[in-house]
Structure formats: C-alpha cells, structure tokens
Coordinates of all heavy atoms in Angstrom, one line a residue:
M264 N 2.2 123.2 -60.1 CA 2.7 124.5 -60.4 C 3.9 124.8 -59.6 O 3.9 124.7 -58.3 CB 1.6 125.5 -60.2 CG 2.0 126.9 -60.6 SD 0.7 127.6 -61.6 CE 1.7 128.5 -62.7
L265 N 5.0 125.3 -60.2 CA 6.2 125.6 -59.5 C 6.2 127.0 -59.0 O 5.6 127.9 -59.6 CB 7.4 125.4 -60.4 CG 7.7 124.0 -60.9 CD1 8.9 124.1 -61.9 CD2 8.0 123.1 -59.8
P266 N 6.8 127.3 -57.8 CA 6.9 128.6 -57.3 C 7.6 129.6 -58.3 O 8.5 129.2 -59.0 CB 7.8 128.5 -56.1 CG 7.7 127.1 -55.7 CD 7.5 126.3 -56.9
K267 N 7.1 130.8 -58.4 CA 7.7 131.8 -59.3 C 9.0 132.4 -58.8 O 9.9 132.6 -59.5 CB 6.7 132.9 -59.6 CG 5.4 132.4 -60.2 CD 5.5 132.3 -61.7 CE 4.1 132.0 -62.3 NZ 4.2 131.2 -63.4
D268 N 9.0 132.6 -57.5 CA 10.2 133.2 -56.9 C 11.4 132.2 -56.9 O 11.2 131.1 -56.4 CB 9.9 133.6 -55.5 CG 11.0 134.3 -54.8 OD1 11.9 133.6 -54.3 OD2 11.1 135.6 -54.8
P269 N 12.5 132.6 -57.5 CA 13.6 131.7 -57.6 C 14.1 131.1 -56.2 O 14.5 130.0 -56.1 CB 14.7 132.5 -58.3 CG 14.1 133.7 -58.8 CD 12.8 133.9 -58.1
V270 N 14.1 131.9 -55.2 CA 14.6 131.5 -53.9 C 13.6 130.4 -53.3 O 14.1 129.4 -52.8 CB 14.8 132.7 -52.9 CG1 15.2 132.2 -51.5 CG2 15.9 133.6 -53.5
I271 N 12.4 130.7 -53.5 CA 11.4 129.7 -53.0 C 11.4 128.4 -53.9 O 11.3 127.3 -53.4 CB 9.9 130.3 -53.0 CG1 9.9 131.4 -51.9 CG2 8.9 129.2 -52.7 CD1 8.6 132.3 -51.9
L272 N 11.6 128.6 -55.2 CA 11.8 127.5 -56.1 C 13.0 126.6 -55.6 O 12.9 125.4 -55.6 CB 12.0 128.0 -57.5 CG 12.2 126.9 -58.6 CD1 11.0 126.0 -58.7 CD2 12.6 127.6 -59.9
L273 N 14.1 127.3 -55.3 CA 15.3 126.6 -54.8 C 15.0 125.7 -53.6 O 15.3 124.5 -53.6 CB 16.4 127.6 -54.5 CG 17.6 127.0 -53.8 CD1 18.4 126.1 -54.7 CD2 18.5 128.1 -53.2
S274 N 14.3 126.2 -52.7 CA 13.9 125.5 -51.5 C 13.0 124.3 -51.8 O 13.2 123.2 -51.4 CB 13.3 126.4 -50.5 OG 12.8 125.6 -49.3
Y275 N 12.0 124.6 -52.7 CA 11.0 123.6 -53.1 C 11.7 122.4 -53.8 O 11.5 121.2 -53.5 CB 10.0 124.2 -54.0 CG 9.0 123.3 -54.5 CD1 7.9 122.8 -53.8 CD2 9.1 122.8 -55.8 CE1 7.0 122.0 -54.3 CE2 8.1 121.9 -56.4 CZ 7.1 121.5 -55.6 OH 6.2 120.6 -56.1
I276 N 12.5 122.8 -54.8 CA 13.2 121.7 -55.6 C 14.2 120.9 -54.8 O 14.2 119.7 -54.9 CB 13.9 122.4 -56.8 CG1 12.9 123.0 -57.8 CG2 14.8 121.4 -57.5 CD1 12.0 122.0 -58.4
N277 N 15.0 121.6 -54.0 CA 16.0 120.8 -53.1 C 15.2 119.9 -52.1 O 15.7 118.8 -51.9 CB 16.9 121.8 -52.5 CG 18.1 122.1 -53.3 OD1 18.4 121.4 -54.4 ND2 18.9 123.1 -53.0
T278 N 14.1 120.3 -51.6 CA 13.4 119.5 -50.7 C 12.8 118.3 -51.4 O 12.9 117.1 -50.9 CB 12.2 120.3 -50.0 OG1 12.8 121.4 -49.3 CG2 11.4 119.4 -49.1
K279 N 12.3 118.5 -52.6 CA 11.7 117.4 -53.4 C 12.9 116.4 -53.8 O 12.7 115.2 -53.7 CB 11.0 117.9 -54.7 CG 9.7 118.5 -54.4 CD 8.7 117.5 -54.0 CE 7.3 118.1 -54.0 NZ 6.3 117.1 -53.5
L280 N 14.0 116.9 -54.2 CA 15.2 116.1 -54.5 C 15.6 115.3 -53.3 O 15.9 114.1 -53.4 CB 16.3 116.9 -55.1 CG 16.1 117.5 -56.5 CD1 17.2 118.5 -56.8 CD2 16.1 116.4 -57.5
R281 N 15.7 115.9 -52.2 CA 16.1 115.2 -51.0 C 15.1 114.1 -50.5 O 15.5 113.0 -50.2 CB 16.3 116.2 -49.8 CG 16.8 115.6 -48.5 CD 16.7 116.5 -47.4 NE 15.3 116.8 -47.0 CZ 14.9 118.0 -46.7 NH1 15.7 119.0 -46.6 NH2 13.6 118.1 -46.4
D282 N 13.8 114.4 -50.6 CA 12.8 113.5 -50.0 C 12.2 112.6 -51.0 O 11.7 111.5 -50.5 CB 11.7 114.4 -49.4 CG 12.2 115.2 -48.2 OD1 13.3 115.0 -47.7 OD2 11.4 116.1 -47.8
C283 N 12.2 112.9 -52.2 CA 11.3 112.1 -53.2 C 12.0 111.6 -54.4 O 11.5 110.6 -55.0 CB 10.1 112.9 -53.6 SG 9.1 113.6 -52.2
Y284 N 13.0 112.2 -54.9 CA 13.6 111.8 -56.2 C 15.1 111.6 -56.1 O 15.8 112.4 -55.4 CB 13.3 113.0 -57.2 CG 11.8 113.1 -57.4 CD1 11.1 114.1 -56.8 CD2 11.1 112.3 -58.3 CE1 9.7 114.3 -56.9 CE2 9.7 112.4 -58.5 CZ 9.1 113.4 -57.8 OH 7.7 113.6 -58.0
E285 N 15.6 110.6 -56.9 CA 17.0 110.3 -56.9 C 17.8 111.2 -57.9 O 19.0 111.1 -57.9 CB 17.2 108.8 -57.2 CG 16.9 108.4 -58.6 CD 15.5 108.1 -58.9 OE1 14.6 108.1 -58.0 OE2 15.2 107.8 -60.1
S286 N 17.1 112.0 -58.7 CA 17.8 112.8 -59.7 C 16.9 113.9 -60.2 O 15.7 113.9 -60.0 CB 18.3 112.0 -60.9 OG 17.2 111.6 -61.7
L287 N 17.5 114.9 -60.8 CA 16.8 116.0 -61.4 C 15.9 115.5 -62.5 O 14.7 115.9 -62.6 CB 17.7 117.1 -61.9 CG 17.0 118.3 -62.5 CD1 16.1 119.0 -61.5 CD2 18.1 119.3 -63.0
D288 N 16.4 114.6 -63.3 CA 15.6 114.0 -64.4 C 14.4 113.3 -63.8 O 13.3 113.4 -64.4 CB 16.4 113.0 -65.2 CG 17.5 113.7 -66.0 OD1 17.3 114.9 -66.3 OD2 18.5 113.1 -66.4
A289 N 14.5 112.5 -62.7 CA 13.4 111.8 -62.1 C 12.4 112.8 -61.6 O 11.2 112.6 -61.7 CB 13.9 110.9 -61.0
L290 N 12.8 113.9 -61.0 CA 11.9 114.9 -60.5 C 11.2 115.6 -61.6 O 9.9 115.7 -61.5 CB 12.8 116.0 -59.8 CG 11.9 117.2 -59.2 CD1 12.5 117.7 -57.9 CD2 11.9 118.4 -60.2
C291 N 11.8 115.9 -62.7 CA 11.2 116.5 -63.8 C 10.1 115.6 -64.5 O 9.0 116.0 -64.8 CB 12.2 116.9 -64.9 SG 13.2 118.3 -64.3
E292 N 10.5 114.3 -64.5 CA 9.5 113.4 -65.1 C 8.3 113.2 -64.1 O 7.2 113.2 -64.6 CB 10.2 112.0 -65.3 CG 9.3 111.0 -66.0 CD 10.0 109.7 -66.2 OE1 11.2 109.7 -66.6 OE2 9.4 108.6 -66.0
G293 N 8.6 113.1 -62.9 CA 7.6 112.9 -61.9 C 6.6 114.0 -61.7 O 5.4 113.9 -61.5
L294 N 7.2 115.3 -61.8 CA 6.3 116.5 -61.7 C 5.9 117.0 -63.0 O 5.1 118.0 -63.0 CB 7.1 117.5 -60.9 CG 7.5 117.2 -59.5 CD1 8.3 118.4 -58.9 CD2 6.3 116.9 -58.6
E295 N 6.3 116.4 -64.1 CA 6.0 116.8 -65.4 C 6.4 118.3 -65.6 O 5.5 119.2 -66.0 CB 4.6 116.6 -65.8 CG 4.2 115.1 -65.7 CD 2.8 114.8 -66.1 OE1 1.9 115.7 -66.2 OE2 2.4 113.6 -66.2
V296 N 7.6 118.6 -65.3 CA 8.1 120.0 -65.5 C 9.4 120.0 -66.4 O 10.0 119.0 -66.6 CB 8.5 120.7 -64.1 CG1 7.2 120.8 -63.3 CG2 9.5 119.8 -63.4
D297 N 9.7 121.2 -66.9 CA 10.9 121.3 -67.8 C 12.2 121.6 -67.0 O 12.3 122.6 -66.3 CB 10.6 122.5 -68.7 CG 11.7 122.7 -69.7 OD1 12.7 122.0 -69.7 OD2 11.5 123.7 -70.5
G298 N 13.1 120.6 -67.0 CA 14.3 120.7 -66.3 C 15.2 121.9 -66.7 O 15.8 122.5 -65.9
Q299 N 15.1 122.2 -68.0 CA 15.9 123.4 -68.5 C 15.4 124.7 -67.9 O 16.2 125.6 -67.6 CB 15.9 123.4 -70.0 CG 16.7 122.3 -70.6 CD 16.7 122.4 -72.1 OE1 15.9 123.0 -72.8 NE2 17.6 121.6 -72.7
E300 N 14.1 124.8 -67.8 CA 13.5 126.0 -67.2 C 13.9 126.1 -65.7 O 14.3 127.2 -65.3 CB 12.0 125.9 -67.3 CG 11.3 127.2 -66.6 CD 9.8 127.1 -66.6 OE1 9.2 126.3 -67.3 OE2 9.2 127.8 -65.8
I301 N 13.9 125.0 -65.0 CA 14.3 125.0 -63.6 C 15.8 125.4 -63.5 O 16.1 126.3 -62.7 CB 14.0 123.7 -62.9 CG1 12.5 123.4 -62.8 CG2 14.7 123.6 -61.5 CD1 12.2 122.0 -62.4
T302 N 16.6 124.8 -64.3 CA 18.0 125.1 -64.2 C 18.3 126.5 -64.6 O 19.1 127.2 -63.9 CB 18.7 124.1 -65.2 OG1 18.5 122.8 -64.8 CG2 20.2 124.4 -65.2
K303 N 17.6 127.1 -65.6 CA 17.8 128.5 -66.0 C 17.4 129.4 -64.9 O 18.1 130.4 -64.6 CB 17.0 128.7 -67.3 CG 17.2 130.1 -67.8 CD 16.4 130.3 -69.1 CE 16.4 131.7 -69.5 NZ 15.6 131.9 -70.8
R304 N 16.2 129.1 -64.3 CA 15.7 130.0 -63.2 C 16.6 130.0 -62.0 O 16.9 131.1 -61.4 CB 14.3 129.7 -62.8 CG 13.3 130.1 -64.0 CD 11.9 129.6 -63.8 NE 11.3 130.0 -62.5 CZ 10.2 129.5 -62.0 NH1 9.5 128.6 -62.7 NH2 9.7 129.9 -60.9
L305 N 17.1 128.9 -61.6 CA 18.0 128.8 -60.5 C 19.4 129.3 -60.8 O 20.1 129.8 -59.9 CB 18.1 127.4 -59.9 CG 16.7 126.9 -59.4 CD1 16.8 125.5 -58.8 CD2 16.2 127.9 -58.3
A306 N 19.8 129.2 -62.0 CA 21.1 129.8 -62.5 C 21.1 131.3 -62.3 O 22.1 132.0 -62.1 CB 21.5 129.4 -63.9
S307 N 19.9 131.9 -62.4 CA 19.7 133.4 -62.3 C 20.1 133.9 -60.9 O 20.4 135.0 -60.7 CB 18.3 133.8 -62.7 OG 17.4 133.5 -61.7
I308 N 20.0 132.9 -59.9 CA 20.5 133.3 -58.6 C 21.7 132.5 -58.2 O 22.1 132.3 -57.0 CB 19.3 133.1 -57.5 CG1 18.9 131.6 -57.5 CG2 18.2 134.0 -57.7 CD1 18.0 131.3 -56.3
E309 N 22.4 132.1 -59.3 CA 23.8 131.5 -59.1 C 23.8 130.1 -58.4 O 24.7 129.8 -57.7 CB 24.8 132.4 -58.5 CG 24.9 133.7 -59.4 CD 26.0 134.6 -58.8 OE1 26.8 134.2 -58.0 OE2 25.9 135.8 -59.2
Y310 N 22.7 129.3 -58.7 CA 22.7 128.0 -58.1 C 22.7 127.0 -59.3 O 22.0 127.3 -60.4 CB 21.4 127.7 -57.3 CG 21.6 128.2 -55.9 CD1 21.4 129.6 -55.6 CD2 21.9 127.4 -54.9 CE1 21.5 130.0 -54.3 CE2 22.1 127.8 -53.6 CZ 21.9 129.2 -53.3 OH 22.0 129.7 -52.0
H311 N 23.4 125.9 -59.2 CA 23.6 125.0 -60.3 C 23.4 123.6 -59.7 O 23.8 123.3 -58.5 CB 25.0 125.1 -60.9 CG 25.2 126.5 -61.4 ND1 24.6 127.0 -62.6 CD2 25.8 127.6 -60.9 CE1 25.0 128.2 -62.8 NE2 25.7 128.6 -61.7
Y312 N 22.9 122.7 -60.5 CA 22.6 121.3 -60.1 C 23.9 120.5 -59.9 O 24.8 120.5 -60.8 CB 21.7 120.6 -61.0 CG 21.3 119.2 -60.6 CD1 20.6 119.0 -59.5 CD2 21.7 118.1 -61.4 CE1 20.2 117.7 -59.1 CE2 21.4 116.8 -61.0 CZ 20.7 116.6 -59.8 OH 20.3 115.3 -59.4
D313 N 24.1 119.9 -58.8 CA 25.3 119.0 -58.5 C 24.7 117.6 -58.4 O 24.0 117.2 -57.5 CB 25.9 119.4 -57.1 CG 27.1 118.6 -56.8 OD1 27.1 117.4 -57.1 OD2 28.0 119.1 -56.1
R314 N 25.1 116.8 -59.4 CA 24.6 115.4 -59.5 C 25.0 114.5 -58.3 O 24.2 113.7 -57.8 CB 25.1 114.7 -60.8 CG 24.4 115.2 -62.0 CD 24.8 114.5 -63.3 NE 24.3 115.1 -64.5 CZ 23.2 114.8 -65.0 NH1 22.4 113.9 -64.5 NH2 22.8 115.4 -66.1
E315 N 26.2 114.7 -57.9 CA 26.7 113.9 -56.7 C 25.9 114.2 -55.5 O 25.6 113.3 -54.7 CB 28.2 114.2 -56.5 CG 29.1 113.5 -57.5 CD 30.5 113.7 -57.1 OE1 30.9 113.8 -55.9 OE2 31.4 113.7 -58.0
R316 N 25.5 115.4 -55.2 CA 24.8 115.8 -54.0 C 23.3 115.7 -54.3 O 22.5 115.7 -53.3 CB 25.1 117.2 -53.6 CG 26.5 117.4 -53.1 CD 26.6 118.9 -52.8 NE 27.9 119.1 -52.2 CZ 28.3 120.3 -51.8 NH1 27.5 121.3 -51.8 NH2 29.5 120.5 -51.3
N317 N 22.9 115.6 -55.5 CA 21.5 115.6 -55.9 C 20.8 116.8 -55.3 O 19.7 116.7 -54.7 CB 20.8 114.3 -55.5 CG 19.4 114.2 -56.2 OD1 19.2 114.7 -57.3 ND2 18.4 113.7 -55.5
Q318 N 21.4 118.0 -55.5 CA 20.8 119.2 -55.1 C 21.4 120.4 -55.8 O 22.4 120.3 -56.5 CB 21.0 119.4 -53.6 CG 22.4 119.7 -53.2 CD 22.5 119.9 -51.6 OE1 21.5 119.7 -50.9 NE2 23.7 120.2 -51.2
F319 N 20.7 121.5 -55.8 CA 21.2 122.8 -56.3 C 22.1 123.4 -55.3 O 21.6 123.6 -54.1 CB 20.1 123.7 -56.8 CG 19.5 123.3 -58.1 CD1 18.5 122.3 -58.2 CD2 20.0 123.8 -59.3 CE1 18.0 121.9 -59.4 CE2 19.5 123.4 -60.5 CZ 18.5 122.4 -60.6
V320 N 23.3 123.8 -55.7 CA 24.2 124.4 -54.7 C 24.8 125.7 -55.3 O 24.8 125.9 -56.5 CB 25.4 123.5 -54.3 CG1 24.9 122.3 -53.5 CG2 26.1 123.0 -55.5

C-alpha cells in the first residue's frame, strides 16, 4: 500500500528507486502499482520523473 500523502509518497518512491529499482517501470512492476497514478499524485506537488536521474525531481 502506497502512502496517501504526496510528500511522504515522494520520499517513499525516490528511496525505492534509489535502493531497489533501475526505473519507474521496474518499480511499478515490482510493487504492482499504477505508474500513472504515482506520476499524477506527484505532479500535484510539482514533481516529475527524470529518467536520467531515476527519481522524481
């Protein structure tokens, strides 16, 4: 279950990307979550996925 709060979600997702997954797609597959939902929720606080950095910035 993903955190509901977007700021906590940001921290959770970026930590998982840094420590466990080589891409957002791999994270979504591994955690069985919807990447569009994550992207939308983090866009609401003006964070967007950067493929080169493999993090939301």
Side-chain angles (χ1 to χ4, degrees):
M264 180 131 219
L265 295 176
K267 300 278 186 209
D268 182 278
V270 175
I271 295 171
L272 177 63
L273 172 67
S274 177
Y275 176 80
I276 294 296
N277 275 344
T278 298
K279 287 289 189 183
L280 287 169
R281 181 190 68 220
D282 295 346
C283 304
Y284 298 98
E285 72 275 357
S286 70
L287 180 58
D288 290 337
L290 177 142
C291 292
E292 185 177 319
L294 297 179
E295 299 180 354
V296 295
D297 182 1
Q299 290 181 344
E300 178 186 341
I301 292 170
T302 301
K303 182 179 175 182
R304 288 172 56 191
L305 294 180
S307 75
I308 58 169
E309 300 184 19
Y310 279 82
H311 305 280
Y312 182 64
D313 181 325
R314 287 184 189 271
E315 285 186 26
R316 292 181 177 181
N317 191 35
Q318 67 181 6
F319 281 84
V320 293

